[in-house]
C-alpha cells in the first residue's frame, strides 16, 4: 500500500559557493515510512511549504546536488541518485546525465558536472564551488 505521507521538517542544508551561501535545501521526512522530500531555494526566496511531498521522494542518502560550473557561474540542481535524467542548465547546456549510487556522474556530452550528497550536511553547510 502507498504510504499516506506525514511530512515533518528535517532540516536545511546551506549550499555554499565561493564562500557565500547561494541557497538552501530544505529536507522533509515522512514520520511513517521515513522517506524524504527535498526542495531548493535561492537565498532571499521564500519557503513554499505547499509543495512539500508533491515531488520525488527517496531515502535521505540518495539526495544530492549536481553542480554545473560554467565560465562565469556555478549552477546547481537537486536530484536523486542513482538515476538518469535529461539535464539542462545555463552553464553547460543540454545533456543526458547518469548518476550512480556512489555519486559518480556520466554525461553524454562530456561536461564536467559534480555531484555532492547532502546527507551528513543537514543543519550544516555543503560547499560545492
Ligand atoms: Zn510516507
Ligand atoms: Zn548542468
Amino acid at each position: 500500500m502507498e504510504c499516506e505521507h506525514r511530512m515533518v521538517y528535517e532540516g536545511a542544508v546551506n549550499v555554499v559557493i565561493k564562500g557565500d551561501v547561494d541557497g538552501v535545501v530544505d529536507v522533509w521526512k515522512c514520520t511513517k515510512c521515513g522517506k524524504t522530500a527535498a526542495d531548493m531555494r535561492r537565498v532571499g526566496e521564500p519557503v513554499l511549504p505547499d509543495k512539500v511531498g508533491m515531488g520525488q521522494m527517496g531515502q535521505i542518502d540518495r539526495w544530492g546536488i549536481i553542480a554545473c560550473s560554467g565560465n562565469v557561474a556555478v549552477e546547481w540542481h537537486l536530484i536523486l541518485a542513482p538515476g538518469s535524467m535529461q539535464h539542462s542548465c545555463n552553464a553547460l547546456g543540454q545533456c543526458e546525465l547518469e548518476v550512480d549510487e556512489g555519486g559518480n556522474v556520466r554525461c553524454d556530452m562530456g561536461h564536467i558536472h559534480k555531484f555532492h550528497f547532502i546527507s551528513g550536511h543537514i543543519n550544516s553547510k555543503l560547499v560545492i564551488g
Side-chain angles (χ1 to χ4, degrees):
M1 243 186 59
E2 283 264 304
C3 177
E4 284 181 36
H5 302 304
R6 211 178 135 259
M7 307 305 286
V8 293
Y9 194 66
E10 176 82 352
V13 180
N14 286 312
V15 178
V16 175
I17 299 173
K18 294 182 173 64
D20 291 320
V21 176
D22 190 67
V24 176
V25 176
D26 290 303
V27 181
W28 308 80
K29 189 173 184 176
C30 173
T31 56
K32 296 179 183 174
C33 70
K35 280 191 179 172
T36 54
D39 280 310
M40 60 182 275
R41 60 189 157 100
R42 307 270 167 204
V43 162
E45 284 178 8
V47 205
L48 301 167
D50 50 313
K51 263 175 55 197
V52 170
M54 299 296 285
Q56 286 179 301
M57 287 184 69
Q59 298 303 325
I60 185 61
D61 58 4
R62 290 187 57 204
W63 282 107
I65 286 168
I66 190 104
C68 316
S69 300
N71 293 327
V72 278
V74 181
E75 193 177 323
W76 53 281
H77 303 263
L78 198 55
I79 61 172
L80 280 169
S84 56
M85 66 217 73
Q86 290 279 1
H87 172 79
S88 150
C89 57
N90 294 323
L92 300 166
Q94 278 202 343
C95 58
E96 182 105 20
L97 287 181
E98 211 177 298
V99 183
D100 70 17
E101 56 281 331
N104 301 299
V105 185
R106 262 222 311 267
C107 168
D108 70 340
M109 299 290 287
H111 298 151
I112 308 294
H113 291 94
K114 282 202 186 119
F115 181 82
H116 309 263
F117 285 105
I118 65 168
S119 65
H121 300 277
I122 293 178
N123 293 326
S124 180
K125 63 178 184 177
L126 174 58
V127 179
I128 63 166

